[in-house]
Amino acid sequence: MFHLTVALRFLGLFVTVLLMTATDFRAFAAGRVTIAPESATPGATVSITGTGFGTFKSAQTNRVLFNGVPALIQRWEPDLIEVKVPFKAADGPVDVIAGKKKIKAGTFKVVRPTIHSVTPSEAEPGTLLRLHGAHFGNTAGSRDRNTMFGVNDVLIGGVPVRALRWRDDTIEVEVPANATSGDVVVRLASSDPLPDGSCCAPVEYTMSNAVPITLIPSVRVDPLSGPVGTKVVLFGKGFGQTKAPEDGVFFNGRPATVAKWADDLIVVHVPLDASSGPLVLKRGGAERTVGNFTVHVPKASSVTPTSAPIGTLIKITGEHFGLYSESGSTPFAFADFDKGENSVEIGGVPAVIYRWHDDRIEAWVPFSAKSGPVVVKRGGTRPNPDGSCCAERGIVATEAGTFTVITPKIESYSPTSAGVDEIVTIRGSGFGTFLKTTEATQPGLNEGGHDNAPIDLGENVSRTEVLFNNIAALVVSWSDTEIKVRVPRRNVFGVGKKGEFNPDLTTGPLVVRRGSWDLLPDGSCCTPKKWLTLEAGPFTIKAQGLPDQRYFTDTSPEASTTQ
């Protein structure tokens, strides 16, 4: 029985030893108190393990001294004490004071945070900065700046920055927008007790060595993709008021034509020989990658309709047509080579652009259009050695399909005479679509309205119409093969003879017209509207369907329209 009892005790002791940490085992084996870690920065938490510490009574009775400097106690158990390394701690002994009892805990070494390197050494706001070094601590600790224990952080040019990742040898931070060039410093907060041992004295900081960093202004590029000729704008500051001969912007190594260079803005065009790759700004002999630009190749998939008369709005669908720009049409029209940068040709004749999007283009078939290929063109350049325009000019052409210009034909119309407001039907082919009198039918009308300019709704607005002896009729329906209109009322009454039918306007030609423009020789819009006129034949407006003559002559009170 005695031997069994001894065996069980030995087994229990063996299990206890197995469960101990390395520090506890050393204390158990040596029968002494230990501290872990044995070196740390001011403000770090250390643990003291052992026995005989007793219970915590007060901050004056229970103390821990680092080479005579009192530490802030966070936890006190009979066998475990946790404290913060005081700000003024120095290398030397650590003593535990429990009333009149003094227990030696060991020797402690105070270390300081050290930065070995900062990468990159030149950065812009938003860049991820990595600090490599030693003794930063395993965690950044509390993130609440209102805490009594302070906050560990990084200073960039004097601006506090919260860390994204914190390890004892590596810290990662994002450069804030308000940071400036200067020194990068790691600072560790330290919380010491008040003279009476209670919490807490004002927070003090242990600073690392300083490593210089240069912060450069951020540069925003818009857009970061597009076909040849695309206007690309660099927004930033510090570019310089003027461009030096060696300055420039490069698309994957190819120089771009510079349209404008100011201290806060650079405007360039994607050059003819550009390819996808880094977009590099060269300034004052230094090079900086400001983005990655993708050069797109325009592709067209369809043209609708494929046949129609002049004045028709055709749609070209595809991708990567880019943004439309033309001299005077955008805020950044700084150079002559903007003219005609984007265009559409129908049978070799330039069309009038209505809308231009990256995936679709709409254009009016011009008056002089010819049957043939529909081609989307983008102009591009290669700069002179100093970046000015132009060592070479070129065109990137994309064929979208074939278009056939239809000449409208009138086959018949009936009746050949009718009263006011009666329906007349015109049959034939190639009439195309009906274009209403809207702002879309006259270039500049919409812009003029926004500028409060007078709007002229003359003949340059209407683009499809039917005339009775030069009087416009109301269109009821319009298809490619049939048009229905109402006999007009206007001017069928004599001037100066109120209510009397005007016989001079009763018979005259019935005409169908389509209008369109041509671009001017310099590629701008547009010539006055030109008309394709088809005469159906003579038409007589009968004196029927008119108001009763008494409508004009009866002046009796009961006939009055006033109240």
Side-chain angles (χ1 to χ4, degrees):
M1 187 69 177
F2 172 77
H3 294 292
L4 178 60
T5 302
V6 172
L8 290 175
R9 287 181 178 177
F10 179 78
L11 180 60
L13 183 60
F14 179 72
V15 172
T16 301
V17 171
L18 288 177
L19 295 176
M20 286 182 176
T21 63
T23 301
D24 291 338
F25 181 75
R26 288 197 300 270
F28 171 79
R32 61 184 176 84
V33 177
T34 61
I35 184 169
E38 294 179 342
S39 66
T41 60
T45 299
V46 298
S47 299
I48 303 171
T49 58
T51 59
F53 301 145
T55 58
F56 184 81
K57 294 182 179 180
S58 69
Q60 293 78 27
T61 303
N62 302 85
R63 292 179 297 158
V64 175
L65 305 178
F66 283 73
N67 203 7
V69 179
L72 182 66
I73 297 172
Q74 294 184 287
R75 180 181 179 185
W76 187 293
E77 303 290 344
D79 58 354
L80 174 65
I81 300 173
E82 291 181 352
V83 295
K84 283 186 169 292
V85 179
F87 179 74
K88 296 180 180 179
D91 296 351
V94 176
D95 298 316
V96 176
I97 308 297
K100 296 181 179 181
K101 184 189 301 184
K102 183 178 181 180
I103 304 172
K104 293 187 177 297
T107 301
F108 188 83
K109 180 178 179 60
V110 179
V111 294
R112 305 287 171 175
T114 303
I115 302 175
H116 294 154
S117 64
V118 175
T119 55
S121 60
E122 186 177 85
E124 63 182 70
T127 300
L128 184 67
L129 209 63
R130 288 185 174 87
L131 287 63
H132 303 278
H135 309 311
F136 300 144
N138 291 324
T139 67
S142 172
R143 294 190 174 187
D144 183 4
R145 295 192 177 276
N146 296 318
T147 181
M148 65 185 73
F149 301 123
V151 173
N152 297 338
D153 56 19
V154 175
L155 299 179
I156 301 178
V159 177
V161 183
R162 191 174 71 182
L164 302 176
R165 182 174 181 266
W166 191 296
R167 295 292 182 266
D168 189 57
D169 59 354
T170 305
I171 299 174
E172 293 181 355
V173 297
E174 184 178 293
V175 179
N178 59 339
T180 58
S181 297
D183 291 329
V184 177
V185 177
V186 176
R187 65 177 187 176
L188 306 180
S190 179
S191 301
D192 289 1
L194 294 169
D196 63 359
S198 61
C199 185
C200 292
V203 174
E204 295 183 272
Y205 290 94
T206 300
M207 312 293 284
S208 72
N209 60 310
V211 176
I213 185 173
T214 301
L215 297 185
I216 53 180
S218 60
V219 176
R220 181 171 64 88
V221 180
D222 185 33
L224 277 171
S225 64
V228 164
T230 296
K231 190 171 292 182
V232 179
V233 185
L234 282 65
F235 301 92
K237 59 182 180 180
F239 299 141
Q241 294 296 338
T242 58
K243 175 188 173 300
E246 66 274 11
D247 297 342
V249 177
F250 297 81
F251 290 78
N252 201 20
R254 301 295 185 179
T257 301
V258 177
K260 180 179 177 65
W261 190 294
D263 190 60
D264 59 351
L265 182 78
I266 299 174
V267 181
V268 297
H269 291 260
V270 179
L272 277 171
D273 53 356
S275 59
S276 298
L279 182 64
V280 176
L281 169 64
K282 187 176 181 181
R283 168 69 179 161
E287 293 187 0
R288 177 183 177 187
T289 300
V290 294
N292 197 72
F293 194 90
T294 302
V295 179
H296 290 148
V297 177
K299 296 179 181 178
S301 55
S302 66
V303 176
T304 54
T306 56
S307 61
I310 64 162
T312 299
L313 186 65
I314 66 169
K315 179 188 289 186
I316 305 167
T317 56
E319 60 180 359
H320 306 319
F321 296 136
L323 301 176
Y324 181 73
S325 61
E326 148 184 84
S327 183
S329 65
T330 65
F332 303 113
F334 300 108
D336 289 340
F337 59 82
D338 280 341
K339 289 186 178 180
E341 180 183 348
N342 299 339
S343 64
V344 172
E345 290 185 357
I346 302 175
V349 179
V352 180
I353 303 299
Y354 176 47
R355 291 190 182 98
W356 188 298
H357 300 283
D358 190 60
D359 60 350
R360 65 189 184 281
I361 300 171
E362 294 178 358
W364 301 110
V365 178
F367 180 82
S368 302
K370 295 177 172 49
S371 298
V374 177
V375 180
V376 179
K377 292 187 174 183
R378 288 194 64 86
T381 64
R382 287 201 303 181
N384 295 315
D386 63 356
S388 63
C389 186
C390 293
E392 179 185 353
R393 298 172 185 263
I395 293 292
V396 176
T398 304
E399 187 167 329
T402 301
F403 184 83
T404 302
V405 179
I406 301 297
T407 300
K409 295 180 180 179
I410 297 175
E411 297 173 355
S412 65
Y413 66 101
S414 64
T416 57
S417 62
V420 171
D421 288 341
E422 290 190 42
I423 300 294
V424 176
T425 302
I426 305 170
R427 294 183 174 87
S429 62
F431 296 143
T433 55
F434 176 66
L435 301 178
K436 299 179 181 179
T437 303
T438 65
E439 62 187 15
T441 65
Q442 179 174 325
L445 188 62
N446 184 49
E447 292 83 353
H450 284 294
D451 294 337
N452 295 318
I455 297 176
D456 179 16
L457 295 179
E459 73 164 11
N460 212 36
V461 176
S462 179
R463 305 190 54 197
T464 50
E465 60 188 12
V466 176
L467 305 178
F468 287 84
N469 199 12
N470 290 323
I471 305 301
L474 176 65
V475 175
V476 176
S477 64
W478 187 301
S479 70
D480 193 57
T481 58
E482 182 182 88
I483 302 172
K484 291 187 177 183
V485 293
R486 291 187 183 276
V487 177
R489 287 172 173 263
R490 183 183 175 193
N491 292 339
V492 297
F493 302 109
V495 177
K497 299 179 180 180
K498 188 176 182 181
E500 184 175 331
F501 190 68
N502 185 355
D504 295 334
L505 297 176
T506 57
T507 300
L510 175 62
V511 172
V512 176
R513 299 206 307 175
R514 287 193 69 90
S516 189
W517 314 274
D518 285 328
L519 294 182
L520 296 172
D522 65 357
S524 61
C525 184
C526 289
T527 65
K529 188 172 286 96
K530 302 176 182 179
W531 296 95
L532 175 64
T533 302
L534 305 173
E535 185 171 334
F539 188 89
T540 300
I541 301 177
K542 296 180 179 179
Q544 63 186 42
L546 302 175
D548 190 281
Q549 291 298 314
R550 287 176 299 173
Y551 174 83
F552 301 100
T553 59
D554 192 346
T555 59
S556 61
E558 57 269 20
S560 175
T561 57
T562 61
Q563 300 295 324

